[in-house]
Amino acid sequence: MVFLPADEPDDAPASELPTCLLCVCLTGSVYCEEVVPEMTAVPTLPKETAYFYARYNKINKITNKDFAEIVTLKRIDLTGNLISEIQDGAFSKLTLLEELNLAENHLVKLPMLPGKLTTFNANHNQLKTKGVKANAFKKLRQLVNLFLGDNKLEAVPVIPESVRIIHLQNNNITDVTSETFCNGNNTYYVRPNLIEVRLDGNPVLLSKSPDSFTCLKSLPVGQYR
């Protein structure tokens, strides 16, 4: 519930209201969830913000100025918005960011991601392989959880060694190879960290590539017959 001062009209645009009037501001945290009136852009955040939640609004774009001065951010959750564009460099200054949730939006491509991410969630978007740069995740050496389910990916992206859980269910992935999860012809290579792989709901028949999973502790979830 949002309480407006007596001299503010009930239908004032969200962009014209102070952030901590629209949202709940606690020490280091800002909660802007299902804001009324509609929130269509990232609001101006207090500079000490570490945790920002703006789920289920109508934010449609992330600019390279939205978080440029909020270098203290550790978690951003923008689930359930209308985001179709994220400008290059939008997250480039967020050197402390560990969790980024962009699920349930309209993204067709990903920007460069911060190097210290441990969890990245882009489930339920419109991502295709051409919209995900080859090194989008490769350099994220602390990444543990990677969620890319319910998109339009045609191939499995390069997965950092640190990843423990990857969800790729309900995409358009048609093929996996010995390089997808393992290390080609190196039969001694073992990947101990990767404990959960979801490939269900893809057109790929995993039983055609049994040698592709020899380095894993368990077989991926998906279609085998």
Side-chain angles (χ1 to χ4, degrees):
M1 182 178 294
V2 176
F3 295 93
L4 301 175
D7 59 349
E8 290 282 3
D10 288 349
D11 58 353
S15 60
E16 296 179 6
L17 297 173
T19 299
C20 291
L21 178 62
L22 278 170
C23 310
V24 176
C25 295
L26 304 173
T27 303
S29 300
V30 177
Y31 298 85
C32 305
E33 310 214 341
E34 298 182 277
V35 169
V36 178
E38 293 177 353
M39 177 177 286
T40 58
V42 174
T44 301
L45 300 174
K47 288 190 177 181
E48 72 277 8
T49 303
Y51 305 96
F52 175 51
Y53 304 87
R55 295 178 288 200
Y56 302 104
N57 290 292
K58 294 193 176 180
I59 298 170
N60 53 57
K61 182 178 180 180
I62 306 298
T63 74
N64 54 21
K65 296 181 180 180
D66 288 335
F67 301 115
E69 298 183 9
I70 317 298
V71 295
T72 51
L73 278 164
K74 294 182 179 180
R75 180 184 300 159
I76 296 173
D77 192 341
L78 294 165
T79 299
N81 278 276
L82 303 174
I83 301 168
S84 59
E85 179 185 356
I86 300 177
Q87 290 184 347
D88 290 338
F91 305 119
S92 62
K93 295 185 179 180
L94 304 184
T95 58
L96 300 179
L97 194 68
E98 297 176 354
E99 298 182 29
L100 179 58
N101 196 331
L102 299 171
E104 298 176 43
N105 278 282
H106 302 305
L107 293 171
V108 296
K109 66 176 183 178
L110 294 180
M112 188 68 71
L113 299 171
K116 288 191 176 181
L117 280 184
T118 61
T119 297
F120 178 68
N121 190 337
N123 282 344
H124 294 278
N125 276 275
Q126 299 174 25
L127 295 171
K128 293 185 178 181
T129 297
K130 66 180 180 181
V132 180
K133 295 178 181 178
N135 63 346
F137 309 111
K138 186 177 181 179
K139 296 182 180 180
L140 305 185
R141 294 182 176 88
Q142 298 179 42
L143 191 65
V144 175
N145 305 304
L146 179 56
F147 304 113
L148 297 169
D150 293 275
N151 278 281
K152 298 180 180 180
L153 297 171
E154 300 92 4
V156 178
V158 177
I159 307 167
E161 291 284 336
S162 57
V163 169
R164 291 176 59 81
I165 297 173
I166 180 167
H167 287 184
L168 292 160
Q169 70 276 12
N170 303 321
N171 277 278
N172 295 326
I173 297 168
T174 58
D175 189 36
V176 293
T177 71
S178 58
E179 299 285 348
T180 303
F181 302 107
C182 300
N183 194 8
N185 296 322
N186 184 354
T187 57
Y188 296 99
Y189 172 72
V190 176
R191 190 165 192 161
N193 292 331
L194 192 57
I195 60 173
E196 182 179 321
V197 179
R198 282 193 60 183
L199 283 166
D200 46 306
N202 284 280
V204 60
L205 186 62
L206 299 178
S207 57
K208 288 185 176 181
S209 309
D211 294 338
S212 299
F213 317 122
T214 55
C215 68
L216 302 180
K217 285 187 173 182
S218 59
L219 290 174
V221 177
Q223 180 185 197
Y224 284 90
R225 60 170 103 179

